[in-house]
Amino acid sequence: MPIIELKDVTYVYDGTDNLKSRAIKNVSISVEKGEYIGIIGHTGSGKSTLIQHLNCILKPTYGKVYIDGVDIWEDKKNLAKTRKKVGLVFQYPEYQLFEETVEKDIAFGPKNLGLSTQEIEKRVMKAAQMVEIDQDLLLKSPFEISGGEKRRAAIAGILAMEPEILVLDEPAAGLDPLGKEKILKIIDNFHKYEKRTVIHVTHSMEDIAKYADKILIMNDGEVVSYDSVDNTFKDVDMLQNMGLDIPQITKVLFKLRQKGFNIPSNIYTVEDAVNVVKNILIEKEKR
Ligand code: ATP
Ligand code: MG
């Protein structure tokens, strides 16, 4: 059974339903437990609208959302359960930090789950460790720490709730390359070591190519492709026609492939590319 299933989900924001006003249209997807899904698409393509259906923030105008096989809108009792299972990190989540200390901010979510003080403390420590927030930072005000630290603290608040499904809306947006790399690693670790399902919305193929199992491409409210990373990258033309930014290195290798070099299509990182090119040179020397 898929952990997430959307059946023909359509959402209209303003009440007057016409084809133009539909923010997402007939979205049907399923996600297996433990998968890492990257969602990509232009501004306004419906990414944020889609993910807000996963923890009951938005109710489908048409269609159904199932989490763990449960139709989440079938019974009011399902809402609280769903919100516990699905942790959603909004865009710029640091704007929602408001407590006196970073520690209290991270503890806010777990407290609302009604856990014991001891359990809350344990979770806060674990989450802080996962996002590399040091002990001394925990006692500072969230207003005294750097932008990257704030972002990580906000993410820790969601991780501390130990959601079965972690959904993130552009979690690395606006950070410098180092800050961004840290966030990507944190998400990857949560997926790998906690074995949780991850849904990661981004504008950058580069951010997800290395980590995701599958990529969902949205365009104008519709799903245009939902496939493995390898298959998605095979169609470089389609990606380019959609105006999506492909990793530079993928473009370079695609050109080499077109020129007849024997290069696998599933290379997205410079490190891997270096090895592939090295091997080609070695082969050439041998001949
Ligand atoms: P971005 O990359 O800019 O975050 P997105 O892919 O997340 O974009 P959405 O925010 O889901 O796209 O928007 C999908 C459509 O719904 C757009 O046409 C947008 O203008 C519209 N929309 C989004 N939020 C609202 C809202 N609160 N009220 C009315 N229309 C909205
Ligand atoms: Mg958005």
Side-chain angles (χ1 to χ4, degrees):
M1 184 179 60
I3 191 162
I4 301 171
E5 194 171 13
L6 268 64
K7 277 196 182 153
D8 238 358
V9 173
T10 292
Y11 188 76
V12 179
Y13 273 102
D14 57 8
T16 45
D17 178 22
N18 56 60
L19 276 182
K20 261 193 139 171
S21 70
R22 295 180 169 190
I24 56 171
K25 304 163 198 165
N26 304 99
V27 173
S28 293
I29 51 161
S30 63
V31 176
E32 296 301 322
K33 197 175 165 139
E35 277 187 319
Y36 186 138
I37 308 295
I39 301 183
I40 195 157
H42 275 300
T43 292
S45 60
K47 304 180 296 295
S48 298
T49 305
L50 170 58
I51 58 165
Q52 287 177 63
H53 280 83
L54 301 178
N55 78 340
C56 312
I57 292 174
L58 296 180
K59 184 178 179 183
T61 308
Y62 307 107
K64 299 261 185 208
V65 179
Y66 299 87
I67 302 288
D68 264 339
V70 173
D71 172 356
I72 59 176
W73 290 99
E74 193 179 43
D75 186 336
K76 271 207 175 113
K77 275 186 246 153
N78 295 343
L79 299 189
K81 276 190 210 152
T82 306
R83 294 215 166 112
K84 206 169 151 186
K85 261 185 210 166
V86 185
L88 178 59
V89 177
F90 284 98
Q91 241 179 308
Y92 298 101
E94 58 275 22
Y95 293 157
Q96 287 161 36
L97 297 173
F98 62 94
E99 294 275 6
E100 281 158 53
T101 66
V102 171
E103 183 174 14
K104 282 188 185 164
D105 251 313
I106 302 178
F108 183 80
K111 248 189 192 160
N112 277 344
L113 294 179
L115 303 167
S116 70
T117 318
Q118 209 182 6
E119 176 65 18
I120 293 171
E121 217 165 274
K122 200 176 102 197
R123 288 190 180 202
V124 170
M125 289 305 153
K126 185 175 173 193
Q129 210 173 17
M130 284 198 269
V131 303
E132 293 181 34
I133 295 270
D134 292 336
Q135 284 288 324
D136 53 328
L137 279 191
L138 284 177
L139 297 177
K140 285 195 176 169
S141 151
F143 301 102
E144 292 172 335
I145 62 178
S146 79
E149 287 165 347
K150 273 187 208 164
R151 179 75 56 90
R152 283 185 276 130
I155 293 176
I158 302 290
L159 297 186
M161 294 169 77
E162 301 191 348
E164 206 43 62
I165 303 167
L166 177 66
V167 184
L168 309 108
D169 200 350
E170 313 243 9
L175 297 178
D176 59 34
L178 195 70
K180 188 166 145 172
E181 206 44 54
K182 273 194 176 163
I183 298 286
L184 299 181
K185 227 37 257 157
I186 290 164
I187 302 167
D188 186 44
N189 286 340
F190 188 71
H191 172 244
K192 238 195 240 148
Y193 301 118
E194 305 291 321
K195 310 232 182 302
R196 302 299 160 96
T197 308
V198 170
I199 312 285
H200 178 171
V201 170
T202 177
H203 266 97
S204 157
M205 277 285 191
E206 213 143 14
D207 285 0
I208 46 173
K210 220 162 70 178
Y211 306 109
D213 297 308
K214 286 172 91 177
I215 295 184
L216 188 156
I217 303 177
M218 297 289 295
N219 192 37
D220 203 13
E222 289 176 305
V223 174
V224 289
S225 166
Y226 182 43
D227 211 333
S228 68
V229 178
D230 290 0
N231 283 340
T232 304
F233 276 87
K234 271 183 193 141
D235 205 347
V236 171
D237 281 339
M238 182 266 286
L239 299 176
Q240 269 176 332
N241 288 340
M242 300 224 10
L244 295 173
D245 79 311
I246 325 170
Q248 284 296 336
I249 193 65
T250 308
K251 282 188 210 164
V252 172
L253 296 180
F254 183 64
K255 292 244 163 76
L256 287 174
R257 225 169 17 250
Q258 281 179 327
K259 287 197 186 297
F261 287 96
N262 178 20
I263 292 174
S265 58
N266 58 346
I267 307 289
Y268 326 110
T269 67
V270 175
E271 289 157 342
D272 291 347
V274 167
N275 288 329
V276 167
V277 173
K278 256 189 199 159
N279 285 337
I280 290 176
L281 293 175
I282 292 170
E283 285 298 311
K284 243 186 155 179
E285 294 238 312
K286 276 192 202 155
R287 271 191 244 136

